[in-house]
Amino acid sequence: MSTNPEGATPGFLVWRLSMKWRVAVDRAMAPLGLTHAQYSLVASLYGMHRTGLRPSQRQLADHTGLEPLYVSKLARALEAAGLVERTRDPADPRAVQLTLTDQGREVTRRAIGIVHGLLEQLLTPLGGLDGSRTKTFSRELATLLDVPLDPPTENETERS
């Protein structure tokens, strides 16, 4: 789909774009042994570590928007692959902190470079990563992400 089909809703277009992005990142990460979801976790962890944070699985779930149970599953798989270490938080024994291993940092640096290239390709029509249209687009997306969504009740959908 290269053009906006007549009558396509914003929800449909967001879904198509998110699927296009997920597939592209999955394919690009496969040679590194990562999935898109695993990439989201290690790249977020990498960025958080660079700012001095050592997040718990819960904090990483909140940051990425992934379900805590899914983050736990991904973290265990990444630990088995030697990319992440999981340790108990000394301040809260119920919490599990995540840290990238040396190998995890190296793989993540490579993965970030690859995804950066994909992002540049995707955003070329908007002027690239540094384009003014991209900045506007990013602000609009952030605005939409801040809107709380609660599923309508059956009574609300009947009134529509």
Side-chain angles (χ1 to χ4, degrees):
M1 180 171 81
S2 61
T3 61
N4 183 357
E6 193 68 34
T9 65
F12 177 75
L13 295 173
V14 167
W15 178 73
R16 284 296 306 262
L17 182 59
S18 68
M19 294 306 297
K20 176 181 180 174
W21 182 250
R22 188 189 63 79
V23 168
V25 174
D26 266 337
R27 287 180 180 157
M29 293 298 100
L32 298 176
L34 296 173
T35 65
H36 181 260
Q38 289 172 329
Y39 167 77
S40 296
L41 202 76
V42 295
S44 293
L45 192 54
Y46 184 84
M48 294 171 95
H49 282 178
R50 289 184 57 154
T51 63
L53 296 175
R54 187 161 181 228
S56 67
Q57 288 182 171
R58 176 58 164 193
Q59 290 167 321
L60 201 53
D62 292 343
H63 179 79
T64 60
L66 296 170
E67 290 294 322
L69 191 59
Y70 190 44
V71 169
S72 177
K73 179 181 173 182
L74 291 171
R76 283 192 305 272
L78 290 164
E79 182 181 43
L83 303 178
V84 168
E85 289 178 350
R86 299 168 66 240
T87 57
R88 291 282 171 201
D89 183 342
D92 181 359
R94 297 168 298 160
V96 175
Q97 288 182 314
L98 301 174
T99 306
L100 289 168
T101 63
D102 290 341
Q103 178 187 357
R105 278 189 296 280
E106 176 56 32
V107 168
T108 302
R109 276 192 289 272
R110 290 173 49 209
I112 289 170
I114 291 167
V115 171
H116 188 273
L118 278 176
L119 195 52
E120 187 66 55
Q121 287 177 42
L122 178 69
L123 296 172
T124 294
L126 300 181
L129 279 168
D130 297 321
S132 63
R133 287 179 65 199
T134 297
K135 288 181 172 90
T136 299
F137 179 62
S138 294
R139 282 192 301 273
E140 299 292 349
L141 289 172
T143 297
L144 295 176
L145 284 171
D146 285 341
V147 175
L149 292 179
D150 295 317
T153 64
E154 191 172 327
N155 291 337
E156 290 173 332
T157 57
E158 288 174 359
R159 285 181 266 177
S160 301

